[in-house]
Short mmCIF file of all heavy atoms in Angstrom, two decimals:
data_model
loop_
_atom_site.label_atom_id
_atom_site.label_comp_id
_atom_site.label_asym_id
_atom_site.label_seq_id
_atom_site.Cartn_x
_atom_site.Cartn_y
_atom_site.Cartn_z
N MET A 82 -19.23 -8.43 10.58
CA MET A 82 -18.18 -7.42 10.75
C MET A 82 -17.40 -7.23 9.46
O MET A 82 -17.09 -8.20 8.75
CB MET A 82 -17.23 -7.86 11.86
CG MET A 82 -16.24 -6.76 12.30
SD MET A 82 -15.06 -7.37 13.51
CE MET A 82 -16.10 -7.52 14.95
N GLU A 83 -17.11 -6.01 9.17
CA GLU A 83 -16.39 -5.69 7.91
C GLU A 83 -14.94 -6.15 7.99
O GLU A 83 -14.23 -5.88 8.96
CB GLU A 83 -16.45 -4.18 7.67
CG GLU A 83 -15.90 -3.79 6.32
CD GLU A 83 -15.88 -2.29 6.09
OE1 GLU A 83 -16.28 -1.56 7.01
OE2 GLU A 83 -15.44 -1.87 5.02
N LYS A 84 -14.51 -6.85 6.95
CA LYS A 84 -13.11 -7.28 6.91
C LYS A 84 -12.40 -6.62 5.72
O LYS A 84 -12.99 -6.41 4.68
CB LYS A 84 -13.02 -8.78 6.80
CG LYS A 84 -13.44 -9.47 8.07
CD LYS A 84 -12.78 -10.82 8.19
CE LYS A 84 -13.09 -11.43 9.56
NZ LYS A 84 -12.55 -12.78 9.67
N ILE A 85 -11.13 -6.34 5.95
CA ILE A 85 -10.33 -5.67 4.95
C ILE A 85 -9.08 -6.49 4.70
O ILE A 85 -8.47 -7.02 5.65
CB ILE A 85 -9.96 -4.27 5.43
CG1 ILE A 85 -11.21 -3.41 5.54
CG2 ILE A 85 -8.96 -3.59 4.50
CD1 ILE A 85 -11.02 -2.08 6.21
N GLY A 86 -8.70 -6.61 3.45
CA GLY A 86 -7.50 -7.37 3.11
C GLY A 86 -6.27 -6.47 3.12
O GLY A 86 -6.29 -5.38 2.59
N CYS A 87 -5.20 -6.97 3.74
CA CYS A 87 -3.94 -6.23 3.74
C CYS A 87 -3.32 -6.28 2.35
O CYS A 87 -3.23 -7.34 1.73
CB CYS A 87 -2.99 -6.89 4.77
SG CYS A 87 -1.33 -6.16 4.76
N ALA A 88 -2.84 -5.13 1.87
CA ALA A 88 -2.29 -5.04 0.53
C ALA A 88 -0.92 -5.70 0.46
O ALA A 88 -0.41 -5.98 -0.63
CB ALA A 88 -2.19 -3.57 0.12
N TYR A 89 -0.29 -5.95 1.61
CA TYR A 89 1.04 -6.56 1.60
C TYR A 89 0.99 -8.06 1.81
O TYR A 89 1.46 -8.83 0.99
CB TYR A 89 1.93 -5.87 2.64
CG TYR A 89 3.31 -6.48 2.67
CD1 TYR A 89 4.20 -6.18 1.64
CD2 TYR A 89 3.73 -7.32 3.69
CE1 TYR A 89 5.46 -6.76 1.61
CE2 TYR A 89 4.99 -7.86 3.69
CZ TYR A 89 5.87 -7.59 2.64
OH TYR A 89 7.11 -8.15 2.62
N CYS A 90 0.42 -8.50 2.91
CA CYS A 90 0.46 -9.93 3.25
C CYS A 90 -0.83 -10.67 2.90
O CYS A 90 -0.88 -11.88 2.93
CB CYS A 90 0.80 -10.13 4.74
SG CYS A 90 -0.53 -9.65 5.85
N GLY A 91 -1.88 -9.92 2.57
CA GLY A 91 -3.10 -10.55 2.13
C GLY A 91 -4.04 -11.01 3.23
O GLY A 91 -5.09 -11.58 2.96
N SER A 92 -3.70 -10.79 4.50
CA SER A 92 -4.56 -11.18 5.60
C SER A 92 -5.88 -10.41 5.55
O SER A 92 -5.87 -9.21 5.23
CB SER A 92 -3.90 -10.86 6.93
OG SER A 92 -2.71 -11.57 7.09
N GLU A 93 -6.96 -11.09 5.84
CA GLU A 93 -8.24 -10.39 5.95
C GLU A 93 -8.60 -10.26 7.40
O GLU A 93 -8.76 -11.24 8.11
CB GLU A 93 -9.32 -11.19 5.19
CG GLU A 93 -9.08 -11.16 3.72
CD GLU A 93 -10.38 -11.29 2.94
OE1 GLU A 93 -11.41 -11.64 3.53
OE2 GLU A 93 -10.34 -11.04 1.73
N ARG A 94 -8.70 -9.00 7.84
CA ARG A 94 -8.87 -8.76 9.28
C ARG A 94 -9.91 -7.65 9.48
O ARG A 94 -10.18 -6.87 8.58
CB ARG A 94 -7.55 -8.34 9.87
CG ARG A 94 -6.44 -9.35 9.60
CD ARG A 94 -5.10 -8.88 10.03
NE ARG A 94 -5.05 -8.68 11.48
CZ ARG A 94 -3.92 -8.38 12.11
NH1 ARG A 94 -2.81 -8.23 11.47
NH2 ARG A 94 -3.94 -8.21 13.41
N PRO A 95 -10.48 -7.60 10.71
CA PRO A 95 -11.44 -6.53 11.00
C PRO A 95 -10.81 -5.15 10.85
O PRO A 95 -9.60 -4.99 11.03
CB PRO A 95 -11.80 -6.76 12.49
CG PRO A 95 -11.38 -8.16 12.78
CD PRO A 95 -10.26 -8.50 11.86
N LYS A 96 -11.63 -4.19 10.49
CA LYS A 96 -11.16 -2.83 10.20
C LYS A 96 -10.35 -2.23 11.35
O LYS A 96 -9.41 -1.49 11.13
CB LYS A 96 -12.36 -1.94 9.88
CG LYS A 96 -12.04 -0.72 9.11
CD LYS A 96 -13.33 -0.02 8.72
CE LYS A 96 -13.04 1.24 7.92
NZ LYS A 96 -14.30 1.92 7.55
N GLU A 97 -10.72 -2.56 12.60
CA GLU A 97 -10.04 -1.99 13.77
C GLU A 97 -8.57 -2.42 13.83
O GLU A 97 -7.76 -1.79 14.50
CB GLU A 97 -10.68 -2.41 15.07
CG GLU A 97 -12.18 -2.15 15.15
CD GLU A 97 -12.96 -3.30 14.53
OE1 GLU A 97 -13.04 -4.35 15.11
OE2 GLU A 97 -13.50 -3.07 13.41
N GLU A 98 -8.25 -3.55 13.18
CA GLU A 98 -6.87 -4.05 13.22
C GLU A 98 -6.06 -3.59 12.02
O GLU A 98 -4.94 -4.02 11.83
CB GLU A 98 -6.87 -5.58 13.29
CG GLU A 98 -7.51 -6.10 14.55
CD GLU A 98 -7.54 -7.63 14.60
OE1 GLU A 98 -6.82 -8.27 13.84
OE2 GLU A 98 -8.32 -8.17 15.41
N MET A 99 -6.68 -2.74 11.22
CA MET A 99 -6.01 -2.29 10.00
C MET A 99 -5.72 -0.80 10.07
O MET A 99 -6.32 -0.05 10.84
CB MET A 99 -6.93 -2.55 8.78
CG MET A 99 -7.37 -4.01 8.64
SD MET A 99 -6.03 -5.16 8.41
CE MET A 99 -5.55 -4.80 6.74
N ILE A 100 -4.78 -0.37 9.25
CA ILE A 100 -4.43 1.03 9.20
C ILE A 100 -4.19 1.42 7.75
O ILE A 100 -3.71 0.61 6.94
CB ILE A 100 -3.18 1.31 10.07
CG1 ILE A 100 -2.94 2.79 10.26
CG2 ILE A 100 -1.93 0.62 9.52
CD1 ILE A 100 -1.89 3.10 11.31
N ARG A 101 -4.49 2.65 7.41
CA ARG A 101 -4.25 3.12 6.06
C ARG A 101 -2.81 3.59 5.94
O ARG A 101 -2.28 4.27 6.82
CB ARG A 101 -5.16 4.31 5.72
CG ARG A 101 -6.54 3.90 5.27
CD ARG A 101 -7.30 5.16 4.90
NE ARG A 101 -8.54 4.84 4.19
CZ ARG A 101 -8.59 4.52 2.91
NH1 ARG A 101 -7.50 4.48 2.18
NH2 ARG A 101 -9.75 4.24 2.34
N GLY A 102 -2.18 3.22 4.84
CA GLY A 102 -0.81 3.67 4.61
C GLY A 102 -0.65 4.20 3.21
O GLY A 102 -1.19 3.64 2.27
N GLU A 103 0.08 5.31 3.11
CA GLU A 103 0.32 5.88 1.77
C GLU A 103 1.65 5.41 1.24
O GLU A 103 2.69 5.55 1.92
CB GLU A 103 0.28 7.41 1.86
CG GLU A 103 0.33 8.04 0.47
CD GLU A 103 0.21 9.54 0.54
OE1 GLU A 103 1.19 10.18 0.95
OE2 GLU A 103 -0.83 10.09 0.19
N ILE A 104 1.65 4.85 0.07
CA ILE A 104 2.86 4.32 -0.56
C ILE A 104 3.21 5.22 -1.72
O ILE A 104 2.36 5.61 -2.51
CB ILE A 104 2.57 2.90 -1.10
CG1 ILE A 104 2.17 1.96 0.02
CG2 ILE A 104 3.79 2.36 -1.87
CD1 ILE A 104 3.25 1.78 1.08
N THR A 105 4.50 5.60 -1.83
CA THR A 105 4.93 6.32 -3.01
C THR A 105 5.82 5.36 -3.85
O THR A 105 6.59 4.59 -3.31
CB THR A 105 5.78 7.55 -2.64
OG1 THR A 105 6.86 7.16 -1.82
CG2 THR A 105 4.94 8.56 -1.89
N PHE A 106 5.65 5.43 -5.14
CA PHE A 106 6.38 4.51 -6.02
C PHE A 106 6.60 5.16 -7.35
O PHE A 106 5.90 6.09 -7.76
CB PHE A 106 5.62 3.20 -6.15
CG PHE A 106 4.24 3.32 -6.74
CD1 PHE A 106 4.00 3.03 -8.07
CD2 PHE A 106 3.16 3.76 -5.96
CE1 PHE A 106 2.73 3.15 -8.59
CE2 PHE A 106 1.90 3.88 -6.50
CZ PHE A 106 1.67 3.56 -7.83
N ARG A 107 7.60 4.63 -8.10
CA ARG A 107 7.86 5.12 -9.43
C ARG A 107 6.87 4.50 -10.38
O ARG A 107 6.67 3.30 -10.37
CB ARG A 107 9.28 4.75 -9.87
CG ARG A 107 10.34 5.60 -9.23
CD ARG A 107 11.65 5.42 -9.98
NE ARG A 107 12.76 5.89 -9.16
CZ ARG A 107 13.36 5.15 -8.25
NH1 ARG A 107 13.03 3.91 -8.08
NH2 ARG A 107 14.33 5.65 -7.55
N ASP A 108 6.32 5.33 -11.21
CA ASP A 108 5.34 4.88 -12.19
C ASP A 108 5.76 5.41 -13.55
O ASP A 108 6.56 6.33 -13.65
CB ASP A 108 3.95 5.37 -11.79
CG ASP A 108 2.85 4.47 -12.33
OD1 ASP A 108 3.13 3.56 -13.13
OD2 ASP A 108 1.69 4.67 -11.90
N ARG A 109 5.19 4.85 -14.59
CA ARG A 109 5.53 5.30 -15.94
C ARG A 109 4.26 5.80 -16.61
O ARG A 109 3.23 5.11 -16.64
CB ARG A 109 6.14 4.14 -16.73
CG ARG A 109 6.67 4.55 -18.07
CD ARG A 109 7.15 3.36 -18.88
NE ARG A 109 8.32 2.72 -18.26
CZ ARG A 109 9.58 3.07 -18.58
NH1 ARG A 109 9.81 4.00 -19.45
NH2 ARG A 109 10.59 2.46 -17.99
N ASN A 110 4.35 6.97 -17.16
CA ASN A 110 3.21 7.51 -17.88
C ASN A 110 2.99 6.68 -19.16
O ASN A 110 3.91 6.55 -19.96
CB ASN A 110 3.49 8.99 -18.23
CG ASN A 110 2.27 9.65 -18.89
OD1 ASN A 110 1.73 9.16 -19.87
ND2 ASN A 110 1.87 10.77 -18.35
N PRO A 111 1.80 6.11 -19.33
CA PRO A 111 1.59 5.21 -20.47
C PRO A 111 1.66 5.92 -21.83
O PRO A 111 1.86 5.26 -22.84
CB PRO A 111 0.18 4.65 -20.21
CG PRO A 111 -0.47 5.62 -19.29
CD PRO A 111 0.63 6.24 -18.47
N ILE A 112 1.48 7.22 -21.83
CA ILE A 112 1.51 7.95 -23.10
C ILE A 112 2.91 8.46 -23.43
O ILE A 112 3.44 8.21 -24.50
CB ILE A 112 0.50 9.14 -23.07
CG1 ILE A 112 -0.92 8.54 -22.90
CG2 ILE A 112 0.60 9.98 -24.34
CD1 ILE A 112 -1.94 9.53 -22.37
N THR A 113 3.52 9.14 -22.47
CA THR A 113 4.84 9.73 -22.74
C THR A 113 5.97 8.79 -22.41
O THR A 113 7.11 9.00 -22.87
CB THR A 113 5.02 11.03 -21.90
OG1 THR A 113 5.05 10.66 -20.52
CG2 THR A 113 3.88 11.99 -22.13
N GLY A 114 5.73 7.75 -21.59
CA GLY A 114 6.79 6.84 -21.19
C GLY A 114 7.70 7.40 -20.13
O GLY A 114 8.69 6.78 -19.75
N LYS A 115 7.39 8.58 -19.61
CA LYS A 115 8.23 9.20 -18.59
C LYS A 115 7.94 8.60 -17.23
O LYS A 115 6.80 8.30 -16.88
CB LYS A 115 7.96 10.71 -18.53
CG LYS A 115 8.66 11.48 -19.62
CD LYS A 115 8.59 12.97 -19.35
CE LYS A 115 9.36 13.75 -20.40
NZ LYS A 115 9.22 15.20 -20.20
N ILE A 116 9.02 8.51 -16.42
CA ILE A 116 8.90 8.03 -15.04
C ILE A 116 8.45 9.20 -14.16
O ILE A 116 8.96 10.31 -14.28
CB ILE A 116 10.24 7.51 -14.53
CG1 ILE A 116 10.77 6.39 -15.44
CG2 ILE A 116 10.17 7.04 -13.07
CD1 ILE A 116 10.01 5.11 -15.36
N PHE A 117 7.50 8.93 -13.30
CA PHE A 117 7.10 9.94 -12.32
C PHE A 117 6.77 9.25 -10.99
O PHE A 117 6.61 8.05 -10.93
CB PHE A 117 5.90 10.75 -12.84
CG PHE A 117 4.63 9.95 -12.97
CD1 PHE A 117 3.63 10.07 -12.01
CD2 PHE A 117 4.43 9.10 -14.04
CE1 PHE A 117 2.47 9.34 -12.13
CE2 PHE A 117 3.26 8.36 -14.17
CZ PHE A 117 2.26 8.49 -13.22
N ILE A 118 6.71 10.07 -9.95
CA ILE A 118 6.44 9.55 -8.62
C ILE A 118 4.91 9.54 -8.40
O ILE A 118 4.26 10.56 -8.49
CB ILE A 118 7.11 10.39 -7.49
CG1 ILE A 118 8.60 10.43 -7.72
CG2 ILE A 118 6.77 9.84 -6.13
CD1 ILE A 118 9.31 9.09 -7.71
N ASN A 119 4.40 8.37 -8.15
CA ASN A 119 2.96 8.21 -7.96
C ASN A 119 2.70 7.82 -6.50
O ASN A 119 3.62 7.43 -5.77
CB ASN A 119 2.45 7.11 -8.88
CG ASN A 119 0.98 7.27 -9.23
OD1 ASN A 119 0.26 8.03 -8.57
ND2 ASN A 119 0.53 6.57 -10.24
N LYS A 120 1.46 7.97 -6.07
CA LYS A 120 1.10 7.61 -4.70
C LYS A 120 -0.18 6.80 -4.71
O LYS A 120 -1.02 7.00 -5.57
CB LYS A 120 0.81 8.90 -3.89
CG LYS A 120 2.02 9.68 -3.49
CD LYS A 120 1.56 10.85 -2.65
CE LYS A 120 2.72 11.74 -2.31
NZ LYS A 120 2.30 12.89 -1.49
N LYS A 121 -0.28 5.93 -3.74
CA LYS A 121 -1.57 5.30 -3.54
C LYS A 121 -1.74 4.96 -2.08
O LYS A 121 -0.77 4.83 -1.33
CB LYS A 121 -1.71 4.05 -4.40
CG LYS A 121 -0.76 2.92 -4.08
CD LYS A 121 -1.08 1.75 -5.00
CE LYS A 121 -0.07 0.66 -4.78
NZ LYS A 121 -0.31 -0.48 -5.71
N THR A 122 -2.99 4.84 -1.67
CA THR A 122 -3.30 4.54 -0.28
C THR A 122 -3.90 3.13 -0.19
O THR A 122 -4.86 2.84 -0.90
CB THR A 122 -4.29 5.58 0.28
OG1 THR A 122 -3.75 6.87 0.08
CG2 THR A 122 -4.53 5.36 1.77
N ASN A 123 -3.32 2.31 0.64
CA ASN A 123 -3.79 0.95 0.85
C ASN A 123 -4.07 0.71 2.32
O ASN A 123 -3.63 1.45 3.18
CB ASN A 123 -2.71 -0.05 0.41
CG ASN A 123 -2.57 -0.10 -1.11
OD1 ASN A 123 -3.53 0.04 -1.85
ND2 ASN A 123 -1.34 -0.32 -1.55
N TRP A 124 -4.72 -0.42 2.56
CA TRP A 124 -4.92 -0.87 3.95
C TRP A 124 -3.84 -1.89 4.32
O TRP A 124 -3.50 -2.74 3.50
CB TRP A 124 -6.30 -1.50 4.08
CG TRP A 124 -7.42 -0.54 4.11
CD1 TRP A 124 -8.22 -0.21 3.07
CD2 TRP A 124 -7.90 0.20 5.23
NE1 TRP A 124 -9.16 0.72 3.46
CE2 TRP A 124 -8.99 0.98 4.79
CE3 TRP A 124 -7.51 0.27 6.58
CZ2 TRP A 124 -9.68 1.82 5.63
CZ3 TRP A 124 -8.23 1.13 7.43
CH2 TRP A 124 -9.29 1.89 6.95
N TYR A 125 -3.34 -1.79 5.55
CA TYR A 125 -2.31 -2.70 6.04
C TYR A 125 -2.63 -3.13 7.46
O TYR A 125 -3.32 -2.42 8.18
CB TYR A 125 -0.94 -2.02 6.01
CG TYR A 125 -0.51 -1.63 4.64
CD1 TYR A 125 -0.62 -0.33 4.20
CD2 TYR A 125 0.02 -2.58 3.76
CE1 TYR A 125 -0.26 0.03 2.91
CE2 TYR A 125 0.40 -2.22 2.48
CZ TYR A 125 0.28 -0.93 2.06
OH TYR A 125 0.64 -0.57 0.80
N CYS A 126 -1.99 -4.23 7.88
CA CYS A 126 -2.10 -4.67 9.27
C CYS A 126 -1.50 -3.63 10.19
O CYS A 126 -0.39 -3.16 9.94
CB CYS A 126 -1.36 -5.99 9.49
SG CYS A 126 -1.81 -7.31 8.35
N LYS A 127 -2.22 -3.27 11.23
CA LYS A 127 -1.72 -2.24 12.16
C LYS A 127 -0.54 -2.73 12.98
O LYS A 127 0.36 -1.99 13.29
CB LYS A 127 -2.87 -1.85 13.10
CG LYS A 127 -2.69 -0.54 13.79
CD LYS A 127 -3.79 -0.31 14.80
CE LYS A 127 -4.99 0.36 14.21
NZ LYS A 127 -6.02 0.69 15.21
N ASP A 128 -0.53 -4.02 13.31
CA ASP A 128 0.45 -4.55 14.28
C ASP A 128 1.68 -5.22 13.66
O ASP A 128 2.52 -5.69 14.36
CB ASP A 128 -0.25 -5.51 15.24
CG ASP A 128 -0.91 -6.68 14.49
OD1 ASP A 128 -0.93 -6.66 13.24
OD2 ASP A 128 -1.36 -7.62 15.17
N LYS A 129 1.74 -5.29 12.34
CA LYS A 129 2.83 -6.03 11.72
C LYS A 129 3.77 -5.20 10.86
O LYS A 129 4.71 -5.72 10.28
CB LYS A 129 2.24 -7.19 10.88
CG LYS A 129 1.65 -8.28 11.72
CD LYS A 129 1.59 -9.62 10.98
CE LYS A 129 0.64 -9.60 9.82
NZ LYS A 129 0.48 -10.94 9.20
N GLY A 130 3.50 -3.93 10.75
CA GLY A 130 4.39 -3.09 9.96
C GLY A 130 4.35 -3.34 8.47
O GLY A 130 5.28 -3.10 7.73
N CYS A 131 3.19 -3.86 8.00
CA CYS A 131 3.08 -4.22 6.58
C CYS A 131 3.21 -2.99 5.67
O CYS A 131 3.75 -3.11 4.56
CB CYS A 131 1.76 -4.91 6.32
SG CYS A 131 1.73 -6.61 6.99
N ALA A 132 2.79 -1.84 6.11
CA ALA A 132 2.90 -0.64 5.27
C ALA A 132 4.36 -0.34 5.00
O ALA A 132 4.74 -0.03 3.86
CB ALA A 132 2.23 0.55 5.98
N GLY A 133 5.21 -0.49 6.01
CA GLY A 133 6.64 -0.23 5.82
C GLY A 133 7.27 -1.23 4.87
O GLY A 133 8.10 -0.89 4.04
N TYR A 134 6.89 -2.51 5.04
CA TYR A 134 7.43 -3.56 4.16
C TYR A 134 7.03 -3.34 2.71
O TYR A 134 7.82 -3.52 1.79
CB TYR A 134 6.96 -4.94 4.61
CG TYR A 134 7.43 -5.35 5.98
CD1 TYR A 134 6.59 -6.02 6.85
CD2 TYR A 134 8.73 -5.08 6.38
CE1 TYR A 134 7.00 -6.42 8.09
CE2 TYR A 134 9.17 -5.45 7.64
CZ TYR A 134 8.29 -6.13 8.49
OH TYR A 134 8.74 -6.51 9.72
N ASP A 135 5.77 -2.91 2.53
CA ASP A 135 5.30 -2.70 1.17
C ASP A 135 6.02 -1.54 0.51
O ASP A 135 6.42 -1.60 -0.64
CB ASP A 135 3.77 -2.46 1.20
CG ASP A 135 3.13 -2.74 -0.17
OD1 ASP A 135 3.73 -3.52 -0.95
OD2 ASP A 135 2.05 -2.19 -0.42
N GLN A 136 6.25 -0.47 1.31
CA GLN A 136 6.99 0.68 0.77
C GLN A 136 8.40 0.24 0.35
O GLN A 136 8.90 0.62 -0.70
CB GLN A 136 7.04 1.80 1.83
CG GLN A 136 7.88 2.99 1.38
CD GLN A 136 7.26 3.75 0.21
OE1 GLN A 136 6.19 4.34 0.33
NE2 GLN A 136 7.91 3.74 -0.94
N MET A 137 9.04 -0.57 1.18
CA MET A 137 10.38 -1.06 0.85
C MET A 137 10.35 -1.88 -0.42
O MET A 137 11.27 -1.82 -1.24
CB MET A 137 10.94 -1.88 2.00
CG MET A 137 11.57 -1.04 3.08
SD MET A 137 12.42 -2.09 4.27
CE MET A 137 11.20 -2.23 5.53
N ALA A 138 9.31 -2.69 -0.59
CA ALA A 138 9.21 -3.53 -1.78
C ALA A 138 9.12 -2.65 -3.04
O ALA A 138 9.73 -2.98 -4.06
CB ALA A 138 7.97 -4.42 -1.68
N TYR A 139 8.41 -1.54 -2.93
CA TYR A 139 8.30 -0.65 -4.08
C TYR A 139 9.62 0.06 -4.36
O TYR A 139 9.95 0.35 -5.52
CB TYR A 139 7.19 0.39 -3.86
CG TYR A 139 5.84 -0.14 -4.23
CD1 TYR A 139 4.91 -0.46 -3.27
CD2 TYR A 139 5.49 -0.31 -5.58
CE1 TYR A 139 3.67 -0.95 -3.61
CE2 TYR A 139 4.26 -0.82 -5.93
CZ TYR A 139 3.34 -1.12 -4.95
OH TYR A 139 2.13 -1.61 -5.28
N GLU A 140 10.39 0.33 -3.30
CA GLU A 140 11.65 1.00 -3.52
C GLU A 140 12.70 0.07 -4.07
O GLU A 140 13.74 0.49 -4.56
CB GLU A 140 12.13 1.62 -2.19
CG GLU A 140 11.31 2.87 -1.82
CD GLU A 140 11.58 3.34 -0.40
OE1 GLU A 140 12.41 2.69 0.29
OE2 GLU A 140 10.97 4.29 0.01
N GLY A 141 12.46 -1.24 -3.96
CA GLY A 141 13.39 -2.23 -4.50
C GLY A 141 14.65 -2.29 -3.68
O GLY A 141 15.74 -2.18 -4.21
ZN1 LIG B 446 -0.43 -7.40 6.53
#
C-alpha cells in the first residue's frame, strides 16, 4: 500500500488518510531579493488538522 509522509508532523500513512493542502507563505526572490507570496501543495493528515498547523507555522 502506498504511504505518504505528512509535511507537518512527519507521519507516514496510507493515502486514504491523507489530504492535500495548499500553503501560502512569504518567499524571497533569490535574484531581486524581493518578498513575494508563494504557494505550495503538500500532503497532510486528514484527521489531525496538520494543514492548518503548517499554515500557521508559516505565518509565524
Ligand atoms: Zn500530520
Side-chain angles (χ1 to χ4, degrees):
M82 191 185 286
E83 187 183 0
K84 290 206 173 175
I85 294 171
C87 175
Y89 180 72
C90 71
S92 299
E93 292 209 347
R94 304 173 65 173
K96 201 174 180 179
E97 307 85 72
E98 296 179 17
M99 305 298 287
I100 191 169
R101 277 183 169 282
E103 189 178 72
I104 300 297
T105 56
F106 60 101
R107 284 194 198 86
D108 207 350
R109 187 185 293 269
N110 186 307
I112 297 160
T113 65
K115 280 192 177 176
I116 303 290
F117 67 102
I118 302 301
N119 206 345
K120 284 183 186 180
K121 65 178 174 183
T122 305
N123 288 326
W124 285 99
Y125 297 100
C126 306
K127 198 186 272 185
D128 58 352
K129 289 203 294 186
C131 287
Y134 296 140
D135 201 23
Q136 176 67 66
M137 276 189 263
Y139 275 107
E140 286 169 0

